[in-house]
Amino acid sequence: MHDDDPAVFFDDPFWSVQVTRERALVDAVTFPAIPGEADAAALDGHALAPRRQIAYATGPDVVDGDTLIIVGQGALARFSGSYRAREPGPVNDGLESRCLLQLIAPA
């Protein structure tokens, strides 16, 4: 990776976690991502509720329904667990992707 490669931003251990994408009949892929929370409409749009998400450099093939195993260290250990990928796709200029997370099992 080069310093001008956007993937460098997502590979900082201070704020990133390791994500392993698993899908039947396809090799697993591991990549760094930055976890966070996105607000989502709840109660028929009358309230906002946080939903976990990850942001990562566009590149890893993540599709809706993939299993994502997240391993975080230190303060980011709270994100560790198994998730189902929801609504993955590129954002901003296409160099970054985001994916909502549906918890399958905590670590």
Side-chain angles (χ1 to χ4, degrees):
M1 277 188 243
H2 296 95
D3 288 343
D4 59 350
D5 182 351
V8 172
F9 174 75
F10 295 96
D11 201 18
D12 186 321
F14 181 74
W15 56 56
S16 68
V17 295
Q18 289 300 306
V19 179
T20 301
R21 188 232 45 220
E22 295 181 347
R23 183 186 311 150
L25 306 175
V26 177
D27 289 339
V29 175
T30 300
F31 57 94
I34 298 173
E37 295 184 350
D39 288 334
L43 302 173
D44 294 322
H46 296 288
L48 292 177
R51 291 187 65 188
R52 288 191 171 172
Q53 70 174 2
I54 55 171
Y56 51 97
T58 298
D61 176 31
V62 177
V63 299
D64 200 64
D66 280 347
T67 297
L68 303 176
I69 310 299
I70 296 179
V71 177
Q73 303 295 320
L76 297 177
R78 66 190 177 100
F79 291 98
S80 296
S82 299
Y83 297 87
R84 182 101 40 241
R86 294 292 178 224
E87 303 174 27
V91 296
N92 300 328
D93 58 4
L95 295 175
E96 175 184 343
S97 290
R98 293 197 183 150
C99 177
L100 293 173
L101 303 171
Q102 177 184 15
L103 182 65
I104 297 171

